[in-house]
Amino acid sequence: MKTFTVVLFLMFFVTVRAQTDTITILHINDTHSTLAPLDADLHGTRGGIARVTTIIGMTKAQETNVLTLHGGDLFIGDLFFNKYFGVAELQIMKGLGFDAMCVGNHEFDLGPGTLQTALDNAFVAGGFPLLSANMNMDNFPSLKQYIKKYIIKQVANVKVGIFGLTTPETNSFSLPSPVIIDSFENAAVSAVTELRQQGCNLVICLSHLGIFYDQGLAAVLPGIDVIISAHDHLATSDPIVVGSTHIVQADAFYSYIGKMKLVVTGNNVRFLNYQLIPLDQNVPEEPQTKALVDNLIAGIEATYGPVYSQQIGTATEDIEELASSLTVPGNHDTPLGNLLTDAYRWKTGTQIALLVGGSTAQPIYKDPIVAADAFRAIGYGFDTVKGLGYRLVKFKLTGLDILKGLEFGLSSVEYNDELLPQVSGMKYTYNPAQPQGNRVTSVTIGNQPIDSIQLYTVTCNEFLSYALTQMVGVQPVDPYLYVDSTEFEVLTQYIISQQNISPILEGRVKRDLIDGIASEKIQPLHYTLEQNYPNPFNPTTIMKFSIPVAVKVTLQVFDITGKLVR
């Protein structure tokens, strides 16, 4: 009898331990309040949260054990945010049963107080958790009720641990203070360790770091089964596998939704399959959500005019915004960067205009253009006067300061185009093989080599103007802020003036073809005449100068009358 009891217990124990569950993960990221479809015509045929609602609803109706996750950056990017400050999107996501969302950098673009207010209003009767394991909220503790390091969910027989990581770049390029985003490495180790110690069979990281850092994290930290990536706006048609970790990202702006299926038996997690589902005309819009979005649009147009319903121009082709493979020789200016900087100069009449890749958000799609398309192209930023994004600033910079700005922009060119300068009225080449601070190989302004001591007139948006001062350390001369002219309004006016716009690629930004060899002439970055101070009449001197890259140069010396000395 004892023997039979023991055998029966062992059979039951083995049965329990061998239980297998299939887990489905639906994920989106970097939605940036783009609730309405993107316009390929005046009605929109791709994207939109109503199409996401359809996929989530169908999946949950047909399958069990479904997790729905957001990789972060819900705020900023569309007029829905400027009108509703994220509350509408959070409420829709709550209704769809989202399980968790990572905190992205743009969640802090208007400070932690705005994030707090949005969550207070959206989650009056409860909501879903926001996650960030490397966020210090000690000096803004009221956010702690909404933002957690991680959560643990019981899904069938599987204990699922989900933690979040926020890019530390937030500290520099957003406004989280007094919240601090700490480095993510130790936070990730602690989160994985704690989740495993608490018996989690499946560990998921919601990462708003970027896929480059996600791969590095997976390479050094075992124990993460899945990384739902964000921040790059990349679409992974298949998972990137690093060790036993599967990394996926679903583009941005509700263009896609990712669907991963896993088989979990005890602590054994097996990848089953993955789909990156395009949210296009093949996916119908869920009627109730569509009606809600249409009602929200009516509220926006009551404030800003017919920005979704009235055509302002036509794009002959897609006006692309992303610069990629920046270490590969060739042209890296973008059609949208060229369009925007040309529009800046059209407004201000300066010699050059600058913007960085991180300022642009979405392409302008082929066929009819509405004002909302122009806003989406540059929807980051918020001015307190009109609530319509960054305003334009014009000023003067020396050639040397322009070179410093370009070098700062090229400092992370091997990773992404976030800081890559897009330009008008000038061209430059660079060599990413050179050390940071020495990557510019040539610059021309008005088809002439840049002069390091000459003053040039410049236009950019107010955020870049601030960054040049605070991060690069240059001092603009005679700055003038266009108080009533945001870059969105200027782009809209420019499109109306042109009516038909086409993608322009002119090689304004070019990676040098041969490492270490400049493609055009460049003036010295620094020079000194060591023996002419304090006595300028000293008949002899030692001349020293530096250039951004080691190449052969011709040195010519002129006297004060302009006569060639040697």
Side-chain angles (χ1 to χ4, degrees):
M1 184 66 179
K2 289 181 180 180
T3 302
F4 177 75
T5 302
V6 170
V7 170
L8 201 64
F9 171 77
L10 288 174
M11 288 177 61
F12 175 75
F13 181 75
V14 169
T15 301
V16 171
R17 294 288 291 174
Q19 284 182 326
T20 297
D21 292 290
T22 299
I23 305 293
T24 298
I25 302 172
L26 296 175
H27 67 96
I28 56 176
N29 57 274
D30 298 281
T31 52
H32 291 289
S33 296
T34 312
L35 302 185
L38 304 174
D39 286 298
D41 58 37
L42 289 179
H43 302 290
T45 59
R46 66 184 97 181
I49 199 168
R51 288 189 168 95
V52 172
T53 303
T54 297
I55 296 296
I56 292 174
M58 290 175 60
T59 303
K60 290 186 173 182
Q62 297 168 4
E63 303 178 25
T64 57
N65 308 332
V66 178
L67 288 168
T68 310
L69 305 172
H70 193 303
D73 270 7
L74 175 151
F75 276 19
I76 297 284
D78 197 294
L79 289 163
F80 282 95
F81 178 82
N82 295 60
K83 176 68 175 179
Y84 303 110
F85 295 93
V87 174
E89 190 167 2
L90 288 165
Q91 288 177 330
I92 295 172
M93 289 171 60
K94 173 187 170 183
L96 293 176
F98 269 75
D99 294 287
M101 170 184 152
C102 185
V103 181
N105 52 295
H106 283 288
E107 268 68 81
F108 288 107
D109 278 2
L110 299 186
T114 298
L115 175 59
Q116 171 87 48
T117 300
L119 293 168
D120 286 344
N121 284 280
F123 294 163
V124 173
F128 54 86
L130 278 66
L131 303 179
S132 181
N134 61 322
M135 186 175 295
N136 184 332
M137 296 171 282
D138 289 346
N139 292 323
F140 205 97
S142 56
L143 275 177
K144 291 182 179 181
Q145 64 181 306
Y146 299 114
I147 302 174
K148 310 297 181 183
K149 291 183 177 180
Y150 56 76
I151 58 168
I152 297 175
K153 292 184 70 73
Q154 189 72 36
V155 182
N157 297 289
V158 181
K159 204 170 188 179
V160 183
I162 308 170
F163 71 100
L165 295 173
T166 303
T167 173
E169 293 176 358
T170 306
N171 296 316
S172 300
F173 297 108
S174 190
L175 299 171
S177 182
V179 173
I180 299 170
I181 313 303
D182 293 325
S183 61
F184 61 86
E185 294 88 351
N186 291 337
V189 171
S190 296
V192 171
T193 301
E194 291 176 29
L195 290 170
R196 291 299 184 184
Q197 287 176 344
Q198 294 181 62
C200 290
N201 315 102
L202 171 63
V203 172
I204 300 169
C205 173
L206 294 182
S207 166
H208 204 89
L209 301 175
I211 214 156
F212 175 85
Y213 294 102
D214 295 334
Q215 293 176 77
L217 181 65
V220 300
L221 180 58
I224 304 175
D225 298 298
V226 176
I227 296 179
I228 302 299
S229 182
H231 190 50
D232 300 297
H233 301 189
L234 299 178
T236 54
S237 55
D238 295 297
I240 297 170
V241 182
V242 179
S244 60
T245 304
H246 288 70
I247 306 170
V248 289
Q249 191 174 147
D251 200 346
F253 313 114
Y254 292 115
S255 298
Y256 294 87
I257 186 170
K259 182 180 181 181
M260 179 184 288
K261 301 190 83 169
L262 304 169
V263 176
V264 183
T265 305
N267 288 324
N268 178 44
V269 178
R270 179 169 61 87
F271 172 78
L272 189 59
N273 57 52
Y274 182 73
Q275 292 176 272
L276 185 65
I277 303 169
L279 297 170
D280 55 20
Q281 64 272 18
N282 296 312
V283 178
E285 296 179 89
E286 194 279 318
Q288 288 185 329
T289 307
K290 182 183 184 306
L292 174 57
V293 170
D294 288 343
N295 186 57
L296 294 171
I297 287 175
I300 295 170
E301 293 199 327
T303 300
Y304 297 114
V307 289
Y308 288 91
S309 56
Q310 181 174 306
Q311 184 175 347
I312 61 170
T314 302
T316 61
E317 300 291 340
D318 288 353
I319 311 295
E320 298 291 348
E321 69 92 17
L322 182 66
S324 59
S325 303
L326 301 179
T327 59
V328 176
N331 296 338
H332 294 295
D333 53 332
T334 65
L336 184 58
N338 292 344
L339 174 68
L340 280 163
T341 51
D342 286 350
Y344 290 179
R345 292 177 64 222
W346 171 81
K347 171 68 175 179
T348 67
T350 56
Q351 290 169 281
I352 66 172
L354 305 169
L355 64 79
V356 293
S359 292
T360 59
Q362 296 192 46
I364 293 177
Y365 294 103
K366 180 183 176 182
D367 292 329
I369 304 170
V370 296
D373 296 322
F375 187 87
R376 287 165 168 168
I378 44 170
Y380 302 146
F382 189 94
D383 76 276
T384 56
V385 177
K386 292 185 175 182
L388 283 174
Y390 293 129
R391 295 164 293 183
L392 292 187
V393 183
K394 71 175 181 179
F395 47 84
K396 297 173 185 175
L397 286 180
T398 65
L400 180 59
D401 282 344
I402 291 170
L403 289 166
K404 288 179 180 177
L406 293 177
E407 289 289 0
F408 180 81
L410 293 167
S411 61
S412 60
V413 74
E414 57 268 72
Y415 305 123
N416 54 49
D417 74 335
E418 288 290 293
L419 299 178
L420 180 72
Q422 297 291 330
V423 299
S424 178
M426 64 180 289
K427 294 183 178 181
Y428 72 92
T429 62
Y430 66 92
N431 182 359
Q434 294 296 316
Q436 293 179 1
N438 289 284
R439 291 179 168 178
V440 175
T441 55
S442 72
V443 182
T444 59
I445 295 178
N447 297 319
Q448 296 296 316
I450 191 170
D451 184 335
S452 60
I453 62 173
Q454 181 177 330
L455 280 173
Y456 297 93
T457 54
V458 183
T459 303
C460 65
N461 67 37
E462 57 188 316
F463 176 79
L464 183 54
S465 174
Y466 173 84
L468 286 169
T469 302
Q470 300 298 316
M471 298 178 186
V472 183
V474 304
Q475 192 59 51
V477 177
D478 298 332
Y480 175 80
L481 173 66
Y482 287 81
V483 178
D484 59 350
S485 292
T486 64
E487 53 186 344
F488 155 63
E489 291 170 305
V490 170
L491 177 59
T492 299
Q493 293 161 6
Y494 185 69
I495 292 171
I496 291 171
S497 74
Q498 303 295 307
Q499 276 304 290
N500 293 313
I501 60 172
S502 299
I504 297 174
L505 288 173
E506 298 180 334
R508 301 179 187 182
V509 180
K510 185 180 293 186
R511 196 275 199 219
D512 254 350
L513 295 178
I514 304 175
D515 287 349
I517 299 180
S519 60
E520 300 177 53
K521 296 178 181 178
I522 186 168
Q523 298 286 329
L525 279 175
H526 309 283
Y527 59 88
T528 58
L529 305 177
E530 291 196 345
Q531 290 176 288
N532 285 63
Y533 183 84
N535 179 10
F537 301 103
N538 194 330
T540 62
T541 187
I542 296 173
M543 301 181 64
K544 291 184 178 180
F545 66 94
S546 64
I547 55 177
V549 63
V551 293
K552 293 181 179 180
V553 298
T554 299
L555 176 65
Q556 293 180 311
V557 181
F558 298 84
D559 65 18
I560 195 169
T561 66
K563 180 182 177 181
L564 179 64
V565 176
R566 60 176 300 171

